[in-house]
Each structure stands twice: as C-alpha cells, then as structure tokens.
Amino acid sequence: QVQLVESGGGLVQPGGSLRLSCAASGSIVSIFDMGWYRQAPGKERELVAVITSGGITNYADSPKGRFTISRDNAKNTVYLQMNSLKAEDTAIYYCNADMRTGLGYVNYWGQGTQVTVSS
C-alpha cells in the first residue's frame, strides 16, 4: 500500500509563512516528479509547483518568488516553503507524485492539508 501523507497546514496571518511536508511510504521502487497543487473553494485544482527527481523546479505564476519547492530523495519527502502568504493562497493543498511501485507506474495524491491565510 503506497500513500502520500501531508502535514504542516494551518491558520496564518497575511505576510506569514508555513512549511508543508509530504512523505511517501509503502512499496515504492522509485519516485519521479513530485508536486503541490491547491484547490480553493469554488475553484478547480491548480498546480502550485513541481520538482523532478533531479531537482528541476517549475512554479505557477501566482506563487513564484514567494514559494519554494524542495525534496529529500532519501526520505521520499517533498516540501513547500510558503512565504509572504496572501488571503488568496487560502486553499486545500495536495501533494502529488509519479511513482514506480509494485503495481507499476502510478500517479498518487495525498489527502490534502488546509491552509488558511486570514487576520
């Protein structure tokens, strides 16, 4: 059984920071791209940032310059450091990963973690 477990969400004031973590566990052979997506109320899920196994990153325009994605391949973990948070960053944040597991090549989603930016 393979799973992605996110942590680190919560309530923060505008201008504040949060760090999200997502750990992959289970029968994993290898992990390729890992990324963060978010879904605000009434909106579609959107890409926030993605990182390849080699560390190449790509960001959506909105968080660019404020968010940093990183990963620790030894721990099968991806992080999202979020600085200068704005009210419009409020959303459920989901971790995503392309993995080779005992079942073959599969794309997995985490359960999501709530981030609320409010004074």
Side-chain angles (χ1 to χ4, degrees):
Q1 185 77 7
V2 175
Q3 59 179 350
L4 297 174
V5 179
E6 300 111 331
S7 61
L11 173 65
V12 63
Q13 293 185 342
S17 299
L18 280 176
R19 188 190 193 210
L20 306 183
S21 299
C22 172
S25 63
S27 301
I28 299 169
V29 176
S30 55
I31 303 177
F32 304 103
D33 292 356
M34 301 185 81
W36 289 95
Y37 291 72
R38 66 186 182 186
Q39 188 168 17
K43 295 186 176 181
E44 295 186 351
R45 191 173 298 188
E46 63 178 7
L47 173 70
V48 176
V50 64
I51 184 168
T52 69
S53 57
I56 298 172
T57 60
N58 190 34
Y59 295 88
D61 288 340
S62 176
K64 193 175 294 184
R66 301 185 296 120
F67 292 5
T68 302
I69 188 171
S70 61
R71 65 191 283 174
D72 184 334
N73 291 332
K75 296 181 178 180
N76 290 340
T77 299
V78 63
Y79 306 95
L80 185 68
Q81 177 66 43
M82 304 185 293
N83 299 327
S84 302
L85 283 161
K86 306 175 182 180
E88 51 262 44
D89 294 318
T90 295
I92 300 175
Y93 283 70
Y94 297 91
C95 176
N96 179 269
D98 288 321
M99 291 189 269
R100 183 182 175 190
T101 71
L103 297 176
Y105 292 92
V106 185
N107 182 265
Y108 286 90
W109 289 93
Q111 81 285 355
T113 185
Q114 177 71 48
V115 171
T116 302
V117 185
S118 175
S119 56

